[in-house]
Amino acid sequence: MREANSSSVVVVDFWGNGFGMRVRIALEEKGIKYEYREEDLTNPQRSQLVLDMNPVRKSVPILIHQGQPVCDSAAILGYIDETWKDGFPSLLPRDPYDRAIARFWTHFLDNKVRLLKMISTFLVFSTQAMFLKSKSDRAKEESKNELIGELKQLEAVLGDEQYFGGANFGYLDVVLIPFSSMFYGYESHGNFKLEEECPKLSAWVKRCLARDSVRKVLPDSVEMYELHKKFYGIE
């Protein structure tokens, strides 16, 4: 780990929050020491720390650097890449066009595939929510196919590359890999194998999991599925 006093870098997050996992993976990739503070999103009452550091959204993740808060995972990733730049591995591509493409797919994931709205203390995701909450077999099959279709879109972006960043693990990999922690849940709930539907995407997940930064941060996939089952009322 590089020299950065852990007390000067604090991450406030919930263990099952994919958006917050991005932040911790990015810090691990940069080799920055940090203090982690868990915010229990199963409790409807936000901590005073969150209320003070993010009074607008009252949400996590929050990066606190030298007492100053930075909120929203995409904004935090940009801050991390700019703050720890010289002598540190870069997350965003150097080429402006490649940077724009990486940000476009981040927006796609956050706003089209996943983020729908905030209900109570949990983030509810559009395609995922439809898939996990479907009651009829027909609705479940339709939403499963939509989910797989969106994953195939991401796989097409990956193509034959090792990572979304090309030969090197980068920004878009950091953005996307946290949500692979629910792939087991998707497979179990929909009775399909992602390796058969999206073989290149599955191979990418395995490569990412071989990295210490990812392996340290990603939660157990069974625990993630159990968390979502409880939230969505799946028996």
Side-chain angles (χ1 to χ4, degrees):
M1 289 287 181
R2 297 297 184 91
E3 275 211 28
N5 190 333
S6 62
S7 64
S8 72
V9 182
V10 178
V11 177
V12 186
D13 194 22
F14 174 63
W15 69 268
N17 179 18
F19 296 100
M21 294 177 208
R22 296 171 172 175
V23 175
R24 288 176 278 151
I25 291 172
L27 290 171
E28 294 285 348
E29 282 289 322
K30 293 278 189 177
I32 302 300
K33 291 183 179 180
Y34 61 94
E35 177 186 347
Y36 176 73
R37 297 190 188 179
E38 176 78 2
E39 180 74 11
D40 184 8
L41 294 188
T42 64
N43 183 341
Q45 181 61 46
R46 296 281 66 79
S47 69
Q48 192 59 50
L49 179 63
V50 169
L51 296 177
D52 290 342
M53 293 291 104
N54 191 1
V56 177
R57 290 189 174 178
K58 304 177 180 65
S59 63
V60 294
I62 305 170
L63 177 76
I64 306 172
H65 183 214
Q66 297 178 342
Q68 299 297 314
V70 184
C71 306
D72 182 86
S73 66
I76 295 172
L77 291 185
Y79 179 86
I80 290 172
D81 215 26
E82 288 295 319
T83 301
W84 293 282
K85 188 174 184 179
D86 296 334
F88 294 89
S90 178
L91 297 177
L92 275 165
R94 293 183 179 274
D95 183 78
Y97 178 77
D98 291 339
R99 286 201 301 269
I101 293 299
R103 287 176 171 135
F104 168 83
W105 284 107
T106 299
H107 181 80
F108 173 88
L109 181 75
D110 289 357
N111 296 282
K112 182 181 185 302
V113 179
R114 289 199 161 266
L115 187 57
L116 180 62
K117 57 184 176 179
M118 179 76 80
I119 294 181
S120 184
T121 59
F122 276 87
L123 289 169
V124 179
F125 305 117
S126 54
T127 310
Q128 174 179 282
M130 289 188 291
F131 174 51
L132 296 178
K133 293 176 69 175
S134 296
K135 299 301 181 182
S136 70
D137 291 340
R138 179 178 178 180
K140 184 176 179 180
E141 187 68 18
E142 288 177 352
S143 57
K144 180 185 79 172
N145 290 336
E146 183 177 350
L147 178 65
I148 292 173
E150 289 169 347
L151 293 174
K152 284 181 180 292
Q153 283 184 287
L154 294 174
E155 184 178 59
V157 177
L158 175 64
D160 295 323
E161 298 287 355
Q162 292 290 299
Y163 298 103
F164 282 93
N168 300 313
F169 184 86
Y171 180 87
L172 199 50
D173 301 290
V174 173
V175 166
L176 296 174
I177 193 59
F179 300 107
S180 70
S181 59
M182 263 304 289
F183 285 177
Y184 166 81
Y186 297 158
E187 291 178 321
S188 299
H189 190 68
N191 192 29
F192 71 95
K193 292 294 183 183
L194 191 66
E195 192 167 9
E196 297 175 359
E197 299 288 348
C198 302
K200 293 180 181 179
L201 195 64
S202 294
W204 166 78
V205 171
K206 292 177 182 177
R207 282 192 291 273
C208 291
L209 287 172
R211 304 182 70 84
D212 288 340
S213 62
V214 176
R215 193 167 55 249
K216 285 179 181 178
V217 172
L218 258 58
D220 180 81
S221 58
V222 176
E223 291 181 3
M224 276 291 283
Y225 184 36
E226 291 301 319
L227 175 72
H228 284 73
K229 282 169 66 176
K230 182 177 180 180
F231 175 58
Y232 288 113
I234 302 171
E235 296 181 357

